[in-house]
Amino acid sequence: MSPFAQPASGGADRPAGDAGHAAGAGDAGNIEYRVAHLHDRLAAEELAELGVRAEVRAGSVVVTGTVPSAECRETLLRTVHEELAGLAVHTDVQVAETASPDHAEDLP
């Protein structure tokens, strides 16, 4: 479903405090913790993206929102898949149209 490959190490590049994610991925509390950690990463890292929501629905995570560019969307999706590896994730992230119009608007 995603063009991003997951690391074969099972998340060995995560900080030591996150080592238990893959083993208990089905635990609802663990999923909520991982979603909260994703929100922290999105707000703190290079994206500083606060307009994206991630919610747990029926055992999977739904990520929705709007980002300013296709590059931001790719970075966001990569971060989501890194943080939520092993979980069912559904994304609906749109790119905002910020380009100037290419022609004059004709009014009746």
Side-chain angles (χ1 to χ4, degrees):
M1 179 161 83
S2 169
F4 303 105
Q6 298 299 318
S9 62
D13 57 338
R14 295 180 187 273
D18 292 345
H21 285 314
D27 181 61
N30 190 34
I31 293 172
E32 293 290 339
Y33 171 82
R34 291 175 68 185
V35 169
H37 192 260
L38 172 65
H39 280 280
D40 290 346
R41 275 189 70 183
L42 293 178
E45 290 185 359
E46 66 204 66
L47 283 174
E49 188 57 60
L50 299 175
V52 175
R53 295 177 52 124
E55 300 173 336
V56 178
R57 294 185 189 164
S60 64
V61 180
V62 178
V63 180
T64 59
T66 303
V67 294
S69 69
E71 182 180 313
C72 287
R73 183 178 188 278
E74 293 302 317
T75 302
L76 172 83
L77 293 177
R78 184 175 48 253
T79 303
V80 166
H81 289 284
E82 286 172 3
E83 276 304 315
L84 304 178
L87 296 176
V89 177
H90 304 281
T91 58
D92 184 16
V93 179
Q94 305 298 317
V95 176
E97 291 293 328
T98 58
S100 300
D102 58 354
H103 63 279
E105 180 179 5
D106 293 325
L107 298 174

